[in-house]
Amino acid sequence: GIQVEQSPPDLILQEGANSTLRCNFSDSVNNLQWFHQNPWGQLINLFYIPSGTKQNGRLSATTVATERYSLLYISSSQTTDSGVYFCAVWWGNTPLVFGKGTRLSVIA
Amino acid sequence: GAVVSQHPSRVICKSGTSVKIECRSLDFQATTMFWYRQFPKQSLMLMATSNEGSKATYEQGVEKDKFLINHASLTLSTLTVTSAHPEDSSFYICSAYSVNYGYTFGSGTRLTVV
């Protein structure tokens, strides 16, 4: 099946710093989403981005499907950005396949 | 955007009892919903796919008699943990798919079996 690898597994940032999270996937997919899981467990949909680039405030994402990777950019990080960031992919109507996540801690 | 409501958010039950968790799509219809389980500091593990009007499809290793799934309408799926044991304690999350927003997740249910 499809394998999803995320890097780095853990990241500690000083408030105000920028970061890039990476998601590599092993096979061709036509759908990809980035989620943020907050400390209470809620999974928040950040981007539905099967290809191209999208931006939402301080966050942006780029997916290059032909090269099987996606990047999530966080600029001017805030303590509220802390949590786990998951990348998930799927093909057609198959279930989501999640990466193991990047655990981000932003310190003041 | 698409909203999925999950209840309860937290439940504590005694060993041997059953617990029902509800997952509702509030502003869209979902013919398919998904149930996940998450252990501390781990990723989400798909348990089963819930199909409206038909039997759920369970992933390998998931006991269908312990985790009963019912998808009675286009907006409601339920997961019942039967004869719960402490090892069933976990974080359970449901998800539904919509064409415009992709997958949307409920807020999760933290189950503790004592």
Side-chain angles (χ1 to χ4, degrees):
Chain A
I2 299 172
Q3 304 293 318
V4 180
E5 293 187 1
Q6 291 186 242
S7 60
D10 296 280
L11 184 60
I12 300 175
L13 293 177
Q14 198 74 37
E15 197 169 29
N18 302 327
S19 64
T20 300
L21 282 56
R22 188 176 181 101
C23 172
N24 292 333
F25 40 96
S26 60
D27 294 304
S28 296
V29 296
N30 59 359
N31 293 284
L32 185 146
Q33 278 185 258
W34 282 97
F35 297 93
H36 173 218
Q37 187 169 37
N38 64 25
W40 297 272
Q42 171 77 58
L43 271 165
I44 298 164
N45 182 11
L46 297 177
F47 294 103
Y48 170 45
I49 185 166
S51 64
T53 297
K54 290 186 178 179
Q55 179 157 7
N56 184 2
R58 297 181 295 103
L59 301 180
S60 64
T62 295
T63 297
V64 184
T66 54
E67 297 186 22
R68 300 179 185 173
Y69 74 89
S70 183
L71 302 174
L72 178 68
Y73 306 95
I74 304 174
S75 64
S76 303
S77 58
Q78 301 176 358
T79 55
T80 51
D81 295 331
S82 297
V84 184
Y85 290 81
F86 288 104
C87 163
V89 303
W90 72 99
W91 175 266
N93 60 356
T94 61
L96 286 172
V97 178
F98 281 87
K100 293 186 177 181
T102 291
R103 188 171 299 276
L104 174 64
S105 297
V106 181
I107 55 178
Chain B
V3 178
V4 173
S5 174
Q6 185 174 343
H7 293 281
S9 58
R10 187 180 296 267
V11 58
I12 301 173
C13 71
K14 292 185 177 181
S15 282
T17 62
S18 296
V19 173
K20 180 184 284 188
I21 303 170
E22 289 190 352
C23 179
R24 293 180 185 273
S25 57
L26 295 187
D27 50 1
F28 66 101
Q29 293 182 332
T31 55
T32 304
M33 292 185 176
F34 303 88
W35 288 95
Y36 293 84
R37 184 173 181 175
Q38 186 179 32
F39 293 103
K41 298 193 176 182
Q42 293 189 24
S43 189
L44 282 76
M45 180 189 77
L46 178 67
M47 298 175 64
T49 301
S50 168
N51 304 297
E52 188 268 336
S54 64
K55 291 183 178 180
T57 304
Y58 290 83
E59 295 300 300
Q60 191 172 7
V62 177
E63 299 176 62
K64 60 180 69 175
D65 293 332
K66 166 165 279 296
F67 300 102
L68 299 180
I69 291 173
N70 183 271
H71 195 149
S73 75
L74 287 171
T75 59
L76 174 64
S77 176
T78 60
L79 168 67
T80 301
V81 183
T82 63
S83 187
H85 291 286
E87 56 265 31
D88 299 325
S89 298
S90 192
F91 191 62
Y92 295 88
I93 315 176
C94 70
S95 151
Y97 177 80
S98 63
V99 172
N100 293 329
Y101 299 100
Y103 286 90
T104 303
F105 284 81
S107 55
T109 298
R110 194 164 302 280
L111 170 64
T112 304
V113 184
V114 298

